[in-house]
Amino acid sequence: MKLATLRNEGRHGRLALVSRDLRRAVWATPIAATLLDAVERWKEVEAPLAARYAELEAGTAKGAFEFDPRQAMAPLPCAPQFLDGSTFANHGGLIEKAFDLGITNEYEKYPLVYQGASDDFIGACDDVALPSESDNLDFEGEIAVIVDEVPMGTPEQQAGGHVKLLMLVNDVSLRALTAREMKTGFGWLQAKPSTSFSPVAVTPDELGAAWIGGRVQLPLRVFRNNEWFGHPDGREMTFSFPRLIEHCAYSRRLRAGTILGSGTVSNQARSAGSACIAERRAIEMLDEGAAKTPFLKFGERVRIEMLDDQGRSIFGAIDQRYVASNSGVSGR
């Protein structure tokens, strides 16, 4: 299934099912009013939602309408919790080698996770409104999962069953602030503005054979101003999503609707490019002695998408412009 949250007068939007080709949609009500409602009652609503989705695919769903990703909020406009990892050791290692952060992490041994703000997520086509270009504006292409209720102490072998939906992520970052906040030991706040997500969230079966071992084994296609920036593959994820869930649930339960992010998708091969500016600058420093790629300026666009093996968009595209927060121009 593919699910989207479309705008209405409320903060949580209205849940819709979206066709596999992302062209048609139908309301999920009265089965579930919102995506959080659906995830909290997944055992109850999964079968009725799947039946409605089958009708949509067959062209028999009553009340079907054209799907417009510009009307989509984040699939979960706000969530009980957002836990963002750094599960690609290649990315963490490059950043650590290139920049003096004053810390050392064992990327190969333990998942690195921070608790991000989850009260105000951004839709895939919304403008990213930020205070100042001097904060060194960046994007981070990631993959995320949404889980149902995960009991404390859930082992990796059982954790995969709690993954109900997957999304793409633009983890917006202000690089001029990240190092300072990391050194405090308290974690990120100012350096991590509101995060944006793909227009639709999909059940794991929509990925077919690409969902293997708790990893999405497909390239993440990243573009800056319509120019290729990278296509790193999710298969090089050091820690799988089940391992990440186990790590996060070690000492607490995870409430239904918790989002867990993979961190920046990153591959060892330089030819794969990068999913964020900071990593490309790190590579430039290591390979050429100096960072050359500039951070974003207001007015620039970022596009993040994933295609299946037949070239079809799976999640729809994150396609958004970075703007000044005082400009009065925003898609939100």
Side-chain angles (χ1 to χ4, degrees):
M1 289 184 286
K2 297 190 178 187
L3 295 155
T5 295
L6 301 184
R7 301 183 197 282
N8 63 5
E9 66 282 357
R11 291 185 60 216
H12 299 278
R14 185 178 180 186
L15 184 62
L17 290 148
V18 180
S19 62
R20 186 165 286 117
D21 62 9
L22 302 174
R23 294 181 179 178
R24 304 285 289 168
V26 66
W27 297 120
T29 49
I31 302 168
T34 66
L35 186 56
L36 183 58
D37 174 36
V39 175
E40 289 178 334
R41 300 188 295 116
W42 193 256
K43 290 182 180 179
E44 174 187 343
V45 305
E46 181 181 15
L49 287 173
R52 181 76 62 87
Y53 183 65
E55 291 176 353
L56 181 63
E57 284 297 291
T60 59
K62 295 181 180 179
F65 55 90
E66 183 179 352
F67 175 63
D68 182 358
R70 294 170 298 181
Q71 295 303 311
M73 305 171 75
L76 281 175
C78 56
Q81 185 168 215
F82 174 40
L83 301 172
D84 200 17
S86 181
T87 63
F88 288 82
N90 185 69
H91 173 74
L94 286 169
I95 298 297
E96 202 167 271
K97 289 176 184 176
F99 305 108
D100 180 14
L101 301 178
I103 56 175
T104 300
N105 289 295
E106 297 178 286
Y107 292 102
E108 301 283 356
K109 295 177 64 176
Y110 307 105
L112 185 64
V113 185
Y114 77 94
Q115 191 172 42
S118 60
D119 60 319
D120 184 37
F121 293 137
I122 304 175
C125 299
D126 291 345
D127 289 343
V128 180
L130 297 169
S132 173
E133 290 179 346
S134 65
D135 291 329
N136 292 345
L137 318 182
D138 201 354
F139 51 85
E140 289 190 54
E142 304 185 17
I143 304 162
V145 299
I146 302 173
V147 297
D148 63 2
E149 188 113 345
V150 180
M152 181 172 65
T154 296
E156 179 179 359
Q157 294 77 10
Q158 298 174 17
H162 292 285
V163 174
K164 300 307 174 188
L165 296 160
L166 295 99
M167 306 178 288
L168 301 184
V169 186
N170 176 13
D171 182 33
V172 180
S173 297
L174 305 182
R175 298 300 185 184
L177 307 177
T178 53
R180 185 196 72 198
E181 291 196 325
M182 288 177 72
K183 289 177 181 178
T184 67
F186 266 54
W188 285 315
L189 180 64
Q190 289 184 331
K192 292 292 185 178
S194 297
T195 305
S196 55
F197 294 88
S198 51
V200 302
V202 310
T203 49
D205 60 290
E206 291 288 329
L207 293 164
W211 177 243
I212 305 172
R215 296 169 173 84
V216 180
Q217 303 200 19
L218 286 169
L220 186 68
R221 297 161 52 87
V222 181
F223 294 85
R224 177 179 182 176
N225 300 321
N226 296 319
E227 294 184 1
W228 176 89
F229 201 87
H231 61 267
D233 198 297
R235 71 180 61 246
E236 289 190 26
M237 191 177 182
T238 306
F239 299 103
S240 69
F241 278 112
R243 174 68 182 96
L244 183 60
I245 294 168
E246 177 191 59
H247 178 82
C248 294
Y250 170 75
S251 58
R252 61 173 299 165
R253 65 184 168 187
L254 306 180
R255 288 295 193 181
T258 293
I259 300 171
L260 297 98
S262 67
T264 305
V265 180
S266 179
N267 291 173
Q268 289 188 345
R270 297 286 199 262
S271 59
S274 297
C276 73
I277 297 171
E279 182 178 294
R280 177 178 281 190
R281 287 170 62 88
I283 291 171
E284 290 168 345
M285 290 178 68
L286 294 170
D287 292 356
E288 304 173 45
K292 299 178 180 178
T293 301
F295 290 105
L296 295 170
K297 299 295 184 183
F298 291 141
E300 292 197 69
R301 298 195 72 90
V302 173
R303 183 181 179 92
I304 300 171
E305 193 171 19
M306 184 174 282
L307 308 181
D308 64 17
D309 56 7
Q310 297 184 43
R312 299 171 300 193
S313 184
I314 299 171
F315 302 90
I318 297 172
D319 189 355
Q320 52 196 181
R321 184 179 53 149
Y322 282 52
V323 301
S325 59
N326 60 357
S327 69
V329 180
S330 176
R332 303 178 69 188

